[in-house]
Amino acid sequence: YLKASTNCQVNNAKIKSLVDSLTSGLTSDTAKARAIYNYVRDSISYSFYYDTKYGAVGTLNAKTGNCVDQAHLLIAMYRTAGLAARYVHGTCVFSSGSTYGHVWTQVLVGNQWYVVDPTSTRNSFGTVVNWNTNSFTLHGTYASLSF
């Protein structure tokens, strides 16, 4: 859960520079994970489309992305910071009442996997409120995604 993939460009120069600036002076992995998450949640707007359009670097450049592309960026940033991160794919019922396939991120801090979903500003590190976390259908957890 630390390696690069096609759309998850770990150690890209622009991503590495951003991660270094966001985590400068932070000593705990929790603080680093939270700072990276907050950046993606607050700086990358959500766009609705299916599958991948931009990948991690393209999402950072475009400052927008769907759940898949936001996950690509967040995971690339976590892995660049040395934090293991993985994709989670499921079908979720959102607070709007709509049901969609969805991709979100888990990051390993210490011995715990934290659920992080930057697609809504109402979410926070480890807390998801824009979809029902108690009634989703899990399709799997992955080191990389093919879509």
Side-chain angles (χ1 to χ4, degrees):
Y1 296 123
L2 289 168
K3 293 182 180 176
S5 64
T6 303
N7 289 302
C8 182
Q9 298 96 336
V10 177
N11 289 318
N12 165 274
K14 187 171 183 178
I15 290 175
K16 184 157 181 25
S17 174
L18 177 59
V19 167
D20 288 348
S21 76
L22 291 171
T23 60
S24 177
L26 302 178
T27 55
S28 77
D29 286 346
T30 302
K32 292 174 185 178
R34 191 179 309 274
I36 291 167
Y37 168 79
N38 287 343
Y39 173 85
V40 174
R41 181 198 60 198
D42 298 342
S43 303
I44 307 298
S45 65
Y46 177 79
S47 299
F48 182 87
Y49 53 88
Y50 293 102
D51 302 329
T52 297
K53 190 187 258 189
Y54 301 116
V57 174
T59 300
L60 180 59
N61 291 335
K63 296 280 190 238
T64 190
N66 70 351
C67 60
V68 182
D69 279 330
Q70 286 192 17
H72 285 317
L73 177 59
L74 187 56
I75 290 170
M77 292 175 71
Y78 278 146
R79 291 176 180 180
T80 296
L83 299 169
R86 64 189 180 192
Y87 298 88
V88 186
H89 180 220
T91 300
C92 304
V93 178
F94 287 83
S95 52
S96 66
S98 298
T99 301
Y100 293 107
H102 187 51
V103 172
W104 62 98
T105 300
Q106 290 180 335
V107 61
L108 185 62
V109 179
N111 293 319
Q112 182 175 347
W113 287 99
Y114 288 87
V115 173
V116 285
D117 183 343
T119 61
S120 172
T121 56
R122 295 182 295 138
N123 295 341
S124 57
F125 182 84
T127 304
V128 173
V129 297
N130 68 321
W131 52 272
N132 189 337
T133 58
N134 294 315
S135 66
F136 65 91
T137 303
L138 178 66
H139 300 303
T141 56
Y142 308 94
S144 64
L145 289 179
S146 60
F147 56 88

